[in-house]
Amino acid sequence: MTVHERTFDSRDALAVALAARLAQILREAVAARGAASLVVPGGSTPVAVFDHLSRADIPWAKVTVIPCDERWVASDHPDSNEGLIRRHLLRDKADTAQACSLYRQLPSPADALPDIARALGAIPRPFDAVFLGMGEDGHIASLFPGRAETGPALRIDAALDLMVLTAPAKGHPRIGLTLRALTDTRHLFLAVPGAEKRVVLAQAMANIEKGDDRLPLTALLRQDRVPVEILTCI
Ligand SMILES: O=C(O)[C@H](O)[C@@H](O)[C@H](O)[C@H](O)COP(=O)(O)O
């Protein structure tokens, strides 16, 4: 377990710093390997980061952006994470970047799993950067506490990259990357904006010592595949 934490005075200061760090990683990745990959979260946290990052001078045509998870809706649906990426990140200087869609026009995520797994498998690994948010219930991506699907998806040694949430308590069915896939990266960033989330982060950290795995966030912090760079703000 390796965790580095930086605290910022505001959400925008956090977004500016994270966007600059991601831009540097992507630029260096393209220079070194001719291509770059970036996994990003949905929700509200990434919007300011995307807006700043979309203005960075990067060979964006060589960059592939992958949602860490997706709600089972088309990209023009307001709840779509791919739609969020296209509206806020793949514009301005970043309009030539590639988006890897985790959605297919099929009845359920399970129907599309083989095709999406094939598309994801075609992206060189490890990813260059994974950027995650967190929920106040300690979830990351679509790895929710207390859900039957989460246990197998948190096993780092499991040979699966994707997990499916079929009948969520509320909202849409989902598909998402497993902890194994989320940690198969050169750099991993976790944004934790606001006092409430910082309380949950502290609890997740404390749970490591207690061997309490109820929060998926604890499994992310405890793994030793990649250091977790945490950015927090009040
Ligand atoms: O698809 C999603 O909703 C995200 O991948 C999810 O895991 C998100 O990171 C958290 O729910 C935090 O969301 P906020 O940034 O809106 O607090």
Side-chain angles (χ1 to χ4, degrees), residues 128-232:
D128 290 295
V130 169
F131 159 28
L132 295 174
M134 59 167 278
E136 289 177 21
D137 61 355
H139 82 260
I140 51 171
S142 282
L143 300 165
F144 289 89
R147 296 297 306 269
E149 302 88 339
T150 300
L154 286 179
R155 288 192 40 228
I156 285 271
D157 58 350
L160 72 158
D161 276 348
L162 291 164
M163 52 85 70
V164 168
L165 267 185
T166 47
K170 58 182 178 25
H172 312 286
R174 288 172 171 236
I175 188 168
L177 271 62
T178 60
L179 186 62
R180 172 182 177 276
L182 292 170
T183 55
D184 188 6
T185 181
R186 294 182 173 86
H187 302 275
L188 195 151
F189 299 92
L190 174 69
V192 182
E196 295 81 8
K197 290 188 179 181
R198 291 180 69 179
V199 169
V200 177
L201 173 65
Q203 184 192 337
M205 297 275 242
N207 287 355
I208 295 171
E209 297 301 319
K210 291 187 278 185
D212 176 344
D213 280 349
R214 278 172 297 176
L215 299 182
L217 179 57
T218 300
L220 177 74
L221 298 170
R222 191 186 52 228
Q223 56 74 33
D224 55 12
R225 294 183 87 201
V226 62
V228 181
E229 298 186 54
I230 299 175
L231 299 92
T232 68

Side-chain angles (χ1 to χ4, degrees), residues 54 60-61 86 89-98:
S54 67
W60 281 106
R86 292 186 183 281
L89 180 53
L90 305 192
R91 59 179 208 167
D92 206 324
K93 294 182 179 170
D95 66 350
T96 56
Q98 313 299 315

Side-chain angles (χ1 to χ4, degrees), residues 39-97:
V39 177
V40 295
S44 59
T45 301
V47 172
V49 179
F50 289 171
D51 289 342
H52 288 293
L53 186 54
S54 67
R55 297 194 285 270
D57 249 331
I58 299 173
W60 281 106
K62 303 284 190 183
V63 177
T64 300
V65 181
I66 307 112
C68 73
D69 62 350
E70 187 56 276
R71 299 81 177 274
W72 207 245
V73 291
S75 61
D76 59 358
H77 188 288
D79 292 347
S80 165
N81 286 344
E82 179 183 343
L84 185 81
I85 291 167
R86 292 186 183 281
R87 283 193 306 277
H88 288 281
L89 180 53
L90 305 192
R91 59 179 208 167
D92 206 324
K93 294 182 179 170
D95 66 350
T96 56

